[in-house]
Structure formats: C-alpha cells, structure tokens
Amino acid sequence: MANHSFNTLQTFKSGDKTGRFHSLPALGKELGLDMQRLPISLRLVLESVLRNCDGNKITEKHVRELAGWQPNAKRDTEIPFVVSRVVLQDFTGVPLLADIAAMRSTAQRLNADPRRIEPLVPVDMVVDHSVMIDHYSEDNALDLNMKLEFKRNRERYEFMKWGMQAFKTFGVVPPGFGIIHQVNLEHLARGVHYDAKNDVYFPDTLVGTDSHTTMINGIGVVGWGVGGIEAEAAMLGQPVYILTPDVVGVELKGALRPGVTATDLVLTITEMLRRHKVVGKFVEFCGPGTSGLSVTDRATIANMAPEYGATMGFFPVDERTLEYFRGTGRSDEEIAALEGYFRAQEMFGVPAASDVDYSELLTLDLSTVTASLAGPKRPQDRIDLDRVKQTFTGLFSDSSAQGFNMPAEDINKVYITEDGVEVRHGDLMIAAITSCTNTSNPSVLLAAGLLAKKAVEAGLSVRPHIKTSLAPGSRVVTHYLEKTGLLPYLKRLGFNVAAYGCTSCIGNAGDLTPELNATITQNKLVCAAVLSGNRNFEARIHPNIKANFLASPPLVVAYALAGTVMKDLMTEPIGKGREGDVWLRDIWPADEEVQALLKYAMDPEVFRRNYAEIADNPGELWKAVQGEEGATYSWPKSTYIAEPPFFEGFAMEPAPIPAIRGARALAIFGDSVTTDHISPAGTIMENSPAGQWLLANGVMKQDFNSYGSRRGNHEVMMRGTFANVRIKNLMIPPLADGNRFEGSETLYQPSGERMAIYDAAMRYVSQGTPTVIFAGEEYGTGSSRDWAAKGTQLLGVKAVVARSFERIHRSNLVGMGVLPLQFKGDHSVASLGITGTEIFDISGLENGIQPQQDVTLTIHRDDGSKQHIPMLLRIDTATEVDYYLNGGILPYVLRELLTAA
C-alpha cells in the first residue's frame, strides 16, 4: 500500500466500469510540474515509484527526484523500481531457481523457516533454450528434436517441476510452446494489472533474465533484461535499482519503401544507435513514422535494444497496440482497461518529437532504409544487400578484428569433403529462420513463405548439405503458414518446422556433418551462416562457422537458394530454374501479396486455443516428468543441478572485504568481449576443462549437451568460464602468421607456464593470490547471462578493469562482489604497456566506498618500478555499495529476508 502525502488516487473509466489508479497528471499538478513533457517511459517508471512509495526503501524524495527529471542533468541519483512481474528463460531460469533453492536450504540450516524465501511477484519461466537442431529438412524433425530435448534435459525439467510445487507464484510454460519474448508479447503481457487488495490498477512492468526482454517495449510495457541474480532480488521483493537515465528520442519520419522489411529497419537502427553510443540510456520512439509501424514491427525494433546498447527501445501505447491486443485474443475487459488507464494517465498515443523533453533527439527517415544484412561478427555492422559479396571479399584478407586475415588468393579455391561435397570460402552451411526478433512478425514470415513458393515454382532448390531450419517463436506461426498454404513450399526447400525455441540464434544449431567439419577445420575455411536472429558473435552460431550474417526471413531463404555470400544477389542470378536464370527480383514478393495474407496471422481464437493448452494440454512428454515434493530440494547427485556454492560459510553478519594486493592478471582481452566469450552457451569441447570434468563424472561425449543447459551446475560452468574457442587472450604471444591465438589459455605468473585459464585460476586460488581481468571497450556486451559474472567470481577474480562496460554485465559483476573498474581518460592496457607479468594493487576503498569514486591501480613492474593509475569505480549507486559489502546481491537479500521474518 502506498504510504505518501501525495493526493494522487483517482478513478478512470474502463468500459462500463470505473477503476482507481495513482494519477501522474494529479502528481504533476501537486508538484507544479508538467508531466506531459516527461518521456512516457520515465512516467511509467515514476508510476511504480509513486505507487510503491513506502517511506522506507522508496521515499517521497525518490518520487520528487524522478518527477523533476531534467533532460541533461548529472546522473547520480538512483531509482528504486518495483516491477509487477518477472520472466525467465530456462538457461538463466534454472540457475536462478537453484539459487533460490539454495537460499531455502541455507535458511533451513540456520533453523529458519525456508518458506520465508518466496517470490512476491508472479514469475513465469518459458522453456525455449534447450531444444537443438539435431534433425532438420525432414517431416518429423520437430517430434525427433523434442524427444531428444526431453531425454537430455530430464533432470532439469524434474527440477522445474519441483519449483512449480514449492513456490506459489512460479509458473512454467513447457517446451514446445515458443520463445519467451514472443510468448510474453502474445500471451503473458496483460497491459494493466489489478491489485484487488488495494483496489488499484497499474501498468504492466517487468524484468527478465534475457537481454531481449526489451521486445515487450513494443506494446508500451516498461521492461528490460537483467542478470539472474538481479532478477532474484526483484522477485523476492527488492526494487530494481538503476541510475536515473538519459532518454534519447528517436523521431521516425516517412514510411518504408516497397520490399524493405522491419528487419532491414532494425539493422539500420542498430547501426545508427550503436554509433551514437546509447549504452545505459532509455531510447523512446516518437513521430509520425512511429505511428505508422505495426506493433510487430515495433517489437522487432524493441527486441534488439541490447544490440544497439540501450536499456530499452520503448514505443507508447496507441490504437495499434489495442488492435494487436484484439488480434492476439486478449479479453474485451483487458483491452478496455488498457485504453482507459493510458488515456486517464494522458499517455495514450505516439507523441510528436516537440511534445516531449528528451536528452537528445535523433531522426531517421524510413524511406532511406535499404535491404540489409549485418555481420559477419557483430550485429551493428550493417551491410547493404548489394555490398555483401564485396564486404566479405574485403574482410577475407583483412587483418583487423573484424577481418579473417586469410591469403587473398585462396578465396576462390575449391575443397572436396570426404563424402564428395564441393565447398568454398563464403559457402553457406546454415540457413535458419529463427529467433523471436523476426518470427514474431507475420509480415516477414509470410514474405519468406511467398518467396519460397515462387522459388519452388521456378524450379530452384537448396543444396542438401546446407542445414536449413524453421524454428518459430510461437505455434501460431505454423497455423497461419499452413492456413495460407505456404508451409509446404518452405518444406520443399528444407525449411521444415524443427522446433519452437531459440535454436540457431543462441548456438543450438546442432552440428554439421563430420565430413564438413573436417574439411572446414583442416583448410581454415571461412564458411557462412545466415539467420533471422539478433546476434552473430564469433563462435555463437557454430564453433566452425566464422562468418555469420543476420537477415530477414525472406533473405535467409534467398541465401539458402544462392548457397553462398560470394554471390551479389542484386546483380547476379540467384540460381538456375527450369527456364534458365532466376533473379532475386523474380521471386521477391510484392508488399500487396504480403498484406493480403496478414489477416490469417491475427485470429484471436487461434491465440486463445493455443495458450489455453499450457494448462490443459502441455504435451505427453511434459506430463511424464515427475519432480520432487516439498519446500526444500534434496540436491541428488547430478551433473545438471547442484547446490551452488554462493552461500558457503554464510553468516548473518557479512565478513569484511579483503584488500586487493599482490594480484596477478588472469587474462588480458581487447574490445567487444561478449558474454558469449566469457561464458559460452553452446558446445562443450571434449578436451576443455568442462569436458574433462564431465567425462570424469561418467558423462559420455554425446551426452555433454551444452553449457547453457548445464548452468545449474557450477562445476561445469566455472570450468566453462572464458572457454569460448574464439576468445583471444593478449597475454599469449601471436602466432607465426601474425594472427592472435584463439582459445581459453593464459600464462601463469611468475613462471610464464602456459595452461588453461581455469587451471591457472585454481592455482592462484590455492595460493591465495587474487586475480584481475583487463579489457578494452564494451566489455560484457551481449546476453544478460549472469554466469559470465558468477564464473568470474568463482575463478577468484576480484576486479575487472576495462575501458568501458556494457550495462547488464557491469551490474552482474557488482552483484557477485567483483569490482568493475574503468580506465580514465586515454589510459588503456596498450597505453600503460600492461603485459600480464606485473603485480597489481587496488587502493582507495579502505575508508569506505562511495559510488563512482576514484580508486588507484598500482602497477608493480618486473624492473622494480611502480606506477599509480587513477581509475573510476563503476559501483554506480549506494545500493550497489551495500550489495558489494555484503559479498553480492544474493547474501544481501537472504540476510534481509531472514532478518525481517
């Protein structure tokens, strides 16, 4: 119940009914502020602060500070944001459930009631990350892949079943229903909520343990991705603390040209905003071009906010939002409440750019957007379709970080696999219609189906060695592709429905044939994948595929037909059909053809029937899974689920944080090190520390599954930290050809012995030697995965020193008790000549910690000299100071829960 002196409780009309709400216009009147000038995304956060103001964690001072937000003020105040729900995917959700279960076990060991550890807001886990594309291009691929999924993940699913009965507000959307963000968009999001206890309506808000949680911003819901540890705090009643953000307005003008897709638009926005540096900022779309976008186009743009670096990519609620709610089967009562609430708050409709005070305003004319791909290594590297061949050719021999540093004369060489397949550089190995980014958008999926139909009718086909797959984010997609008669044509080209999950986008593409793998690795072939996903970082899609491109679903089909990125689809035929050359323009569908079929994609009854089956008919495989009973988990021996060590030695009083002195560099990395580099989700290599541990514990290689599926077991995950096969530790000397060594190795100091990063870390830990990671710009970009921070902590790393940090990973490091330190000015690893042989001290925290204070890094060099370097402490808020002093968020929250009870 709100506890403040503001007179803001008012009523609004919801259809024939009335409801109570906390009125922001009334707050503005009381404070003498014009709320209409405040960005809508901030107003929704303000509503939560106002409604949850309790005089304790959230005070009237917090309300006044946020209500008085200034576009260009210094950002040094924090916002305590209480969300209305939490969403999880299973790769991040299972370790979160393990942490909560460990809290209950710890409470029990302290003779406290374990049921004190209970989520206070609804929590939904959508199981979408576990299915792999083992079978493809066959009619029963979906059935076969799901059976394999359940066989591999039985222990994890049993653990989920325990969680469902142990916690009152914890629900699971079983495997086979779709991808978390599409399920959230189509089903879980209800627009506004009703608090029956306090008789108050309030807007939907959330955090999710996946960075692409921002997709929900497309329907006017405030939400973003956080690490699992921060999500745990949110579900256990803690506010999510964020620094008051800048809000960048993006004014969209005009309209997309014929043939240009929402995917082309989001890749353009990603390039533009990443260049503009919007990390840690809210992005809010406005202007007439925004009003003209469908909700599914908006959701595509919002989905990739992590790729352009923003906390959110927010779109206001308007008539298009109401249309989408009707089309996806929400009730008339819910739609009336949504419209009535937002009109009463004076937040209905897309504002003009001049109506709102933004920190900055950028403009994009939609008519300038062209057909595009992005890659081959980063989503912000957009390429015009007519420059893909030229770009790949240039990067082939380029020695920069984005190039492949291969001899230029090798680009046209032909190689023959043992089973007789001709392979060249640039050849496609994987073509995947995948990911919530695009499969939530009927316009691009119908375009892919129409292109497939025209291609089949023209006599085109896909080479059989290309791994083609269709993995929709919702079962509704299959329904409308069948209803429109397009699915059979996609199947003819190998795009059979293989799964309802993330698949290739997160590295669950499954393997290539042994013959292809052998030819690629032996000859250092630079082969390609084209997918309709949102990320294409090195080794993410497949460890042996070096060039990975993001594209719209119709372009995925087009490149599958072309078979290579060494073909210019604008000036060369895509292939030979029955009547000779076929060009892309011959088979590209007209916008009118797509529009004519869109009615089949928005059938309310289909959505209602589909999502009713979560409870009524979740499938025989899920029904057969049996979980433990009881309030606490027994932790049976398992290589999938183990009690995490984060509460070992837990006491109600936190121990003092030891000073960091005599530290060694565990590794030195360059720019754009992603959370995929730090904690890979995909293949576990047999000769890696994690692979060796699994073999030693009786797991055969074919049953390794993936790192992502084993995040419930810290023994696997700490061994998998920094285990990406493409990671480059700059402590390792360059190879003879000048290229950097790729792999999880380091030089143990002071001996200089070369070994696995995990082995060196354990040796340092056994000797009581603290370690430090050094890096360049954008450290921790990419997925929200908290194991990138958890694994770092378990390796004994006490601080990460970087030129800059990505938002979520910085927060996760603090949440695990690891210091994030940022170089100031022009200082960097290179400018300071750090090689990894030095000894390091970190000082300045001995007399207390202040957010964003200066600290000193002292470098002791081999020649006996010392250098004192000022650093910026990236513990950004007072609450984060408390987390750090408690050893992280998890011990902090547990102490608070056990003290309050």
Side-chain angles (χ1 to χ4, degrees), residues 549-592:
F549 295 90
L550 307 180
S552 65
L555 280 178
V556 171
V557 178
Y559 270 99
L561 293 164
T564 177
V565 295
M566 284 292 289
K567 185 178 281 189
D568 183 346
L569 299 192
M570 301 298 280
T571 62
E572 300 175 57
I574 198 167
K576 279 206 179 293
R578 292 188 199 92
E579 299 178 11
D581 289 343
V582 178
W583 300 74
L584 181 60
R585 61 177 174 267
D586 298 330
I587 58 175
W588 193 266
D591 287 3
E592 295 76 20

Side-chain angles (χ1 to χ4, degrees), residues 129-135 145 149 152 498-499 503 507-510 683 705-706:
H129 272 52
S130 298
V131 66
M132 301 182 80
I133 306 297
D134 292 286
H135 295 271
N145 287 331
E149 173 190 359
R152 289 170 177 147
T503 62
N508 283 1
T683 306
N705 210 331
S706 64

Side-chain angles (χ1 to χ4, degrees), residues 66 118 124 126 142 235 430 559 681 732 878:
L66 185 53
E118 178 70 46
D124 292 289
V126 181
L142 174 64
M235 59 196 267
I430 290 175
Y559 270 99
I732 304 291

